[in-house]
Amino acid sequence: MSEPDVLVVGGGPAGVAAAIELAQLGLTVTLAEQGSRLGGAIHRQYVGQGESPLAIPGRHRRHWQGLALGLANAGERIRVMVEAVFLGVDGDSRFLLDDRRAGKVIGLSPKAVVLAVGAIERIVPRPGWELPGVTTAGGMQLQLKETGEAPTGAILIAGNGPLPLALGAQLAAAGNPPLAILERGEPWRAALRHPAAAVAGLRSPAHVAEAAGYALRLARAGVPYRSGWSVTAIEALRQGLLVSCQHVSGRTMQHRVAHLALHDGLATNSSGLPAPVVDGVAIVRAGDCREVLGADAAISDGLRAARTIARQLCPAAPQRELARDFERELAAARRMQRSIQTLCRAADWPIAPDTVVCRCEGLRRSDLDSLQGASSAREIRLLGRFGMGACQGRSCLASVKAITAEAGASFDITVADPVVQRWPLRPVSVVALAAFSDV
Amino acid sequence: MSGTLYWMGDAVAFRAGETVAAALRRSGIDDFGPALGELRARYFCGIGSCQACLVSLNGDSLIEACLTPAREGMRLSAALPLAEEHGHE
């Protein structure tokens, strides 16, 4: 294996689009994907025989077919590595990949890097969110896309925004519609209060058609869509889960289910990623890890990232004609996201003392409260172990920030302690590290 | 089904190409064993981010069940079998 011109991390639409564009501009690319196939979360491939039972919107299918064709045409200029996890940048400015197929860590020294590692789902902690049987909505959807099979037993979806609708419709298509979809916001009321946001949402015919398709399937399956409802607590029963829900009016309700899917919105998956330039190497973020704009915009953003890198690496080369107006596409996606945020806005609730905040270390809010006097991110981490677990704080950062801000402390680890972001971003075996090699 | 892996010694069937977590879920295994703070390991985010689904492969290295493709004969077990007894300290 030789050193690539550009390392692209993430095999979803942004990363694949960037890799294809870079290859077309004459650069060599290593495209590293953590899963066993390309596609990312949005284009997770069905592994069963024949067609997936889920009705995947035609636009998403076409987009992925186009990207797959571009990859095939790029030939050897793009080297795809699957089961290759980005670990960070070491002290010698090497970009480390855990090549799990080869069982070793490798260090790359490319001229530029595209990070396209997508979004993470925001989950506001509530009692019982850490129990087996509770997943994120995206997590449940990924397994559904992969297997074409819905989990067995009663399912409840409780979330915020459009993803719960897609998941609900796909569960119905797979033969096990959810008991209900609970939406924390009140989109119909919000539309009356903010008509401009509603109109902005309607300006994207593709999204409107997709949402209408989901709504129709949910209506046919008799799945109720209840707005203004939140899950307030989850208890483990001998069999399944008891889910307590509350409406904004104060009304309460309980559901017994086998599976609960939670979703409190999306956030950039940017925690712990390296700075824009490391030792002269440009690092450009693309897709949802730069700004959550969704799958369509991720392709445009991947192309934009590739052009940014090409301008730096080959300044003398003639600029390619813009076949598409990236900026206009990104602006349209931004308008759509703002509309969704306005229509589905919901207040967060206070986190109770016994609620698990850091799942990796099994720490509760009361553990954080007992750190009175710990006023910096460094103290909160070293004394309390918040943000120090296997997930490196990706899951608890937002909650710890919010709770410590109430007490007048700061948990901004990048500002408080810039050197604190160290590799590995993910657990890596000592055996793989011992087998380390440069390219 | 195209293969068999083992969870805590019990045979679990899987289909080629699917992840360990998908195979475990089909077999009704949601609880992946003890975790720190008297919690339980489990599948959650599906994208290798939350690390809640770490399991031990062949008695040693920890893997994310949500990312790792199921392979014939894999022996999987709880990542932190002693977490329950020792608690957080």
Side-chain angles (χ1 to χ4, degrees):
Chain A
M1 175 176 168
S2 58
E3 197 73 77
D5 292 321
V6 185
L7 167 65
V8 178
V9 179
V16 172
I20 293 168
E21 182 72 2
L22 289 162
Q24 287 180 358
L25 294 165
L27 297 165
T28 58
V29 178
T30 291
L31 173 59
E33 159 59 35
Q34 62 173 354
S36 59
R37 280 175 302 277
L38 297 176
I42 181 76
H43 303 296
R44 176 69 76 99
Q45 302 299 299
Y46 175 57
V47 302
Q49 301 291 317
E51 282 281 301
S52 163
L54 311 186
I56 304 293
R59 153 176 131 262
H60 292 316
R61 273 205 315 268
R62 283 192 301 278
H63 283 171
W64 184 245
Q65 283 162 2
L67 291 172
L69 187 65
L71 270 177
N73 289 339
E76 289 181 356
R77 272 167 298 174
I78 300 178
R79 176 171 187 264
V80 177
M81 292 178 72
V82 293
E83 293 179 59
V85 178
F86 178 57
L87 298 177
V89 189
D90 76 2
D92 295 321
S93 304
R94 284 177 298 205
F95 289 75
L96 303 178
L97 294 175
D98 185 7
D99 181 354
R100 294 182 176 177
R101 285 215 165 157
K104 65 174 188 175
V105 174
I106 60 169
L108 296 175
S109 302
K111 296 174 192 149
V113 175
V114 176
L115 295 177
V117 294
I120 56 172
E121 289 176 273
R122 197 170 155 260
I123 303 295
V124 181
R126 59 273 259 179
W129 74 277
E130 73 283 357
L131 292 169
V134 182
T135 66
T136 68
M140 185 179 283
Q141 189 190 38
L142 281 173
Q143 290 194 329
L144 186 57
K145 286 178 179 173
E146 181 179 297
T147 63
E149 299 163 22
T152 51
I155 301 168
L156 181 68
I157 305 174
N160 189 238
L163 179 59
L165 283 178
L167 172 61
Q170 288 161 347
L171 286 170
N176 188 10
L179 294 183
I181 296 175
L182 309 185
E183 162 60 50
R184 284 174 58 204
E186 295 183 285
W188 314 126
R189 282 183 181 219
L192 292 177
R193 276 200 304 271
H194 307 281
V199 171
L202 292 172
R203 278 175 66 188
S204 169
H207 288 97
V208 172
E210 185 177 346
Y214 295 144
L216 186 64
R217 193 175 277 279
L218 290 167
R220 281 198 189 132
V223 177
Y225 178 77
R226 300 203 179 105
S227 60
W229 283 91
S230 301
V231 166
T232 51
I234 308 138
E235 285 169 61
L237 302 172
R238 200 179 309 164
Q239 281 283 312
L241 303 165
L242 181 65
V243 183
S244 300
C245 313
Q246 186 167 358
H247 188 251
V248 285
S249 65
R251 215 146 41 94
T252 60
M253 201 175 190
Q254 289 190 316
H255 293 280
R256 279 167 184 266
V257 299
H259 301 273
L260 171 66
L262 296 175
H263 179 80
D264 295 315
L266 292 166
T268 57
N269 182 16
S270 54
S271 179
L273 296 185
V277 179
V278 171
D279 211 0
V281 176
I283 301 172
V284 182
R285 296 182 191 179
D288 280 357
C289 92
R290 186 187 65 76
E291 181 181 4
V292 177
L293 294 176
D296 300 345
I299 297 175
S300 306
D301 209 37
L303 296 174
R304 183 199 54 78
R307 295 290 171 86
T308 304
I309 284 172
R311 273 198 299 274
Q312 295 187 17
L313 296 189
C314 2
Q319 294 294 308
R320 273 160 51 105
E321 291 243 336
L322 292 181
R324 300 163 61 171
D325 188 346
F326 309 143
E327 292 306 327
R328 217 182 59 193
E329 286 175 10
L330 294 178
R334 203 168 284 132
R335 195 169 61 226
M336 187 71 198
Q337 291 298 320
R338 289 213 183 110
S339 159
I340 291 168
Q341 279 161 16
T342 304
L343 296 179
C344 294
R345 186 167 296 149
D348 285 348
W349 54 87
I351 297 170
D354 203 32
T355 303
V356 171
V357 171
C358 163
R359 200 222 60 92
C360 295
E361 297 282 319
L363 299 169
R364 294 166 195 269
R365 168 160 191 162
S366 52
D367 295 314
L368 186 51
D369 290 338
S370 70
L371 294 174
Q372 283 169 350
S375 56
S376 70
R378 194 177 178 80
E379 284 174 293
I380 292 165
R381 286 161 63 96
L382 294 183
L383 299 174
R385 291 204 55 78
F386 285 90
M388 297 284 277
C391 92
Q392 301 267 299
R394 281 187 294 269
S395 310
C396 71
L397 203 64
S399 310
V400 176
K401 257 187 191 174
I403 293 169
T404 51
E406 283 171 31
S410 161
F411 195 67
D412 191 335
I413 54 176
T414 51
V415 172
D417 190 352
V419 298
V420 93
Q421 294 185 23
R422 303 185 181 103
W423 70 277
L425 289 169
R426 301 271 283 277
V428 54
S429 81
V430 173
V431 174
L433 277 173
F436 175 84
S437 69
D438 284 309
V439 167
Chain B
M1 296 298 143
S2 59
T4 305
L5 54 79
Y6 297 88
W7 170 251
M8 307 298 283
D10 294 336
V12 172
F14 69 84
R15 286 201 308 207
E18 74 185 6
T19 53
V20 164
L24 292 177
R25 193 200 67 197
R26 186 184 301 104
S27 290
I29 300 160
D30 287 331
D31 185 331
F32 295 175
L36 293 179
E38 297 176 7
L39 307 184
R40 310 296 296 178
R42 52 88 190 254
Y43 175 82
F44 190 60
C45 77
I47 56 170
S49 173
C50 78
Q51 301 288 311
C53 70
L54 289 181
V55 295
S56 173
L57 172 61
N58 298 333
D60 45 38
S61 66
L62 301 187
I63 57 161
E64 295 105 345
C66 72
L67 289 182
T68 309
R71 294 199 173 99
E72 185 61 35
M74 275 178 156
R75 288 180 297 113
L76 302 167
S77 55
L80 302 172
L82 303 179
E84 212 160 38
E85 292 163 41
H86 293 274
H88 190 254
E89 301 305 314

